[in-house]
Amino acid sequence: QVQLVESGGGLVQAGGSLRLSCAASDGTASTYALGWFRQAPEKVREFVAAISWNGANTYCADSVKGRFTISRDYAKNTMYLQMNSLKPEDTAVYYCNPLDLRLADDWGQGTQVTVSS
């Protein structure tokens, strides 16, 4: 029922920052824990960060901990991923979905993040 659309990716140099957005079609996603995932070329899709249904709890994978911050704005039905101190290893297509993927219809188009060295 809910649709999530990722945006905000782009090309940045190592050490730079980006803010990704995950916009929901309505407020249905406010009842779900949400997550960011990424898939680098020739790599398996991996978990990046998660935020609880009420935004009270967040968690980031070790690979991005201390550099990325996940948040959500219920008024805008949008989740964000603030990405700082980007590394070339962060290059990937980034996706958002309910953390429980059984609640997701499918993976969206994602947004490309490319970090140059």
Side-chain angles (χ1 to χ4, degrees):
Q1 183 172 324
V2 65
Q3 294 182 331
L4 302 174
V5 179
E6 304 91 343
S7 64
L11 173 64
V12 298
Q13 294 188 65
S17 299
L18 285 172
R19 188 180 74 164
L20 306 185
S21 297
C22 174
S25 58
D26 56 34
T28 302
S30 66
T31 64
Y32 307 152
L34 298 175
W36 285 97
F37 307 81
R38 68 185 182 186
Q39 187 167 18
E42 301 182 356
K43 299 292 185 180
V44 68
R45 183 181 293 110
E46 65 176 345
F47 166 79
V48 176
I51 187 166
S52 62
W53 70 273
N54 61 0
N57 301 107
T58 63
Y59 177 81
C60 291
D62 288 343
S63 60
V64 305
K65 193 169 297 181
R67 300 187 297 118
F68 291 9
T69 303
I70 189 171
S71 62
R72 62 196 301 176
D73 184 335
Y74 293 95
K76 297 180 179 179
N77 293 325
T78 302
M79 177 177 66
Y80 302 99
L81 184 68
Q82 179 65 47
M83 310 165 67
N84 298 325
S85 301
L86 283 163
K87 304 176 180 179
E89 303 94 286
D90 296 317
T91 295
V93 178
Y94 284 71
Y95 305 88
C96 61
N97 250 332
L99 187 62
D100 183 349
L101 295 176
R102 295 172 297 180
L103 301 175
D105 290 332
D106 202 354
W107 296 96
Q109 190 171 5
T111 185
Q112 176 71 51
V113 172
T114 303
V115 184
S116 64
S117 58

